[in-house]
Amino acid sequence: RGRCFDRGVADALAAAAGDASSGIVASSITKDASRAPPPPFNTVDLLKTASKALRLSPAMTMKHAEHLYLDGYLSYPRTETNKFPDSMDIPKALREQTGDERWGAYVSDLLATNAWRRPKKGVDAGDHPPI
């Protein structure tokens, strides 16, 4: 049948399956896809995303951002810029993260396979680097 977003149809299909404990996948299709990376955050985009994805208030978001800034994990969190300067050495910034036990292996893989890309969009407001 393909994708189904109709609750009534989904319920009917579930009822037809009854108490079956297994099923057979008749066919599947996979394809490679890639998207350009999103631009980095400016303050407004950080607040919007934290509110929508994490349900954090602006005050709580900025509190956490300040702590991450003071601990050296992100740049100054009050900025209107959402574009990295052309002079920024992104591979160097990534290499600095390879030793972290939580995401170091992922970053190492990004570097080894050259799977990272510099975000192309964004605005340099001239105040601080993006978050």
Side-chain angles (χ1 to χ4, degrees):
R1 170 156 178 100
R3 294 182 181 184
C4 176
F5 297 101
D6 182 312
R7 179 65 182 232
V9 173
D11 288 341
L13 290 171
D19 292 331
S21 61
S22 65
I24 296 172
V25 176
S27 67
S28 67
I29 299 171
T30 61
K31 60 182 177 179
D32 291 332
S34 65
R35 288 190 247 171
F41 286 128
N42 61 22
T43 305
V44 172
D45 292 334
L46 172 65
L47 294 173
K48 284 181 187 177
T49 302
S51 174
K52 184 177 180 181
L54 304 173
R55 304 217 185 271
L56 291 176
S57 70
M60 187 60 70
T61 299
M62 290 309 293
K63 177 182 175 186
H64 290 302
E66 287 288 335
H67 283 283
L68 291 169
Y69 167 69
L70 293 172
D71 289 343
Y73 288 105
L74 37 109
S75 62
Y76 189 66
R78 290 187 175 88
T79 180
E80 297 310 310
T81 296
N82 66 350
K83 179 181 180 187
F84 290 115
D86 293 334
S87 61
M88 182 175 177
D89 187 351
I90 292 179
K92 178 183 176 196
L94 290 172
R95 281 191 299 275
E96 292 173 358
Q97 298 297 316
T98 58
D100 190 279
E101 64 186 38
R102 295 161 291 185
W103 55 76
Y106 175 75
V107 175
S108 294
D109 185 55
L110 285 176
L111 289 166
T113 59
N114 205 25
W116 65 274
R117 291 187 301 228
R118 177 183 293 273
K120 295 184 191 257
K121 295 181 180 180
V123 175
D124 184 353
D127 52 357
H128 297 284
I131 303 168

